[in-house]
Amino acid sequence: MTDTPAHDEPHGNGLGARLNWLRAAVLGANDGVVSTAGLVVGVAGATGSRSVLLTAGLAGLLAGSMSMAAGEYVSVSTQRDSEKAALATEKRELQETPEAELAELTGLLEEKGLSREVAREAAVQLTERDALRAHAEVELGIDPDELTNPWHAAGASFLAFTAGALLPLLAIVLPPSSLRLLVTVLSVLAALAVTGWWSARLGEAAAGPAVLRNMGGGALAMAVTYAVGELLGAAGV
């Protein structure tokens, strides 16, 4: 008897959720790199004081990470509330109009390519097994057991932003003053190349354009903030 080859490709909602979390982490780290790099390079254009650079960098890191976490918490909390409200409505409809809901589920399965007879039989079996779950997954695209968690989202955003922000902060304060800007710019561009490559990989897009866009955006941000810092420093502000 011929053994059936193992099929290790992951499927299901769990894969999509993991990819979304990973994509959010990459983008959060990218934001931390760009925003903090722009801040510390801009301050470096105005002053060479290590303590000032450290203070500005830490302030930017904390403000950015807290802002990201708070924004993600609010956003995901709203999404979770919407999911819970949709599930509550669906539960009520299943109790009040079960036949109409069965017909609706049958129609949704037909839209996925099943014949009328097969769709009806599948709808009946799914309803008998767990009607709310069937409607939640097919009609609403929600897994009742895996609702979005705002605390997880906030924590992930905080950590991702902080991890990204630490690189330009350390790069601007650790090297000697003569190498400070060079080390920071090179480190930031290298980090942006990595995050650009990862974001393209996760989206199954070409890596080259994504990397160039990411590096170009970061370089422009640093150039603009450094020029502003130089002008303010020269003006004695």
Side-chain angles (χ1 to χ4, degrees), residues 86 89-91 93-94 100-106 108-109 111-112 131-142:
T89 299
E90 199 63 42
K91 185 177 181 178
E93 291 175 346
L94 285 167
E101 290 300 300
L102 180 60
E104 181 182 34
L105 183 58
T106 300
L108 290 170
L109 292 173
E111 292 176 3
K112 292 181 179 294
L132 180 59
R133 173 178 292 278
H135 280 266
E137 293 181 348
V138 177
E139 180 181 348
L140 305 176
I142 298 173

Side-chain angles (χ1 to χ4, degrees), residues 112-134:
K112 292 181 179 294
L114 299 180
S115 67
R116 178 70 181 176
E117 294 75 16
V118 173
R120 176 73 179 186
E121 179 61 26
V124 170
Q125 293 188 23
L126 289 171
T127 299
E128 290 175 349
R129 180 178 301 172
D130 191 332
L132 180 59
R133 173 178 292 278

Side-chain angles (χ1 to χ4, degrees), residues 200-216:
R201 181 179 175 85
L202 292 172
E204 298 183 354
V211 169
L212 291 176
R213 285 195 300 267
N214 222 28
M215 295 177 67

Side-chain angles (χ1 to χ4, degrees), residues 23-72:
R23 184 177 293 109
V26 170
L27 294 177
N30 190 82
D31 287 345
V33 171
V34 174
S35 61
T36 306
L39 175 62
V40 296
V41 167
V43 174
T47 178
S49 171
R50 192 185 303 270
S51 62
V52 172
L53 290 170
L54 179 60
T55 301
L58 284 175
L61 183 154
L62 290 173
S65 59
M66 293 299 293
S67 175
M68 287 282 291
E72 196 70 14

Side-chain angles (χ1 to χ4, degrees), residues 145-168:
D145 295 331
E146 294 187 10
L147 297 182
T148 52
N149 189 311
W151 290 107
H152 291 171
S157 295
F158 181 91
L159 292 175
F161 187 97
T162 299
L166 280 174
L167 185 141

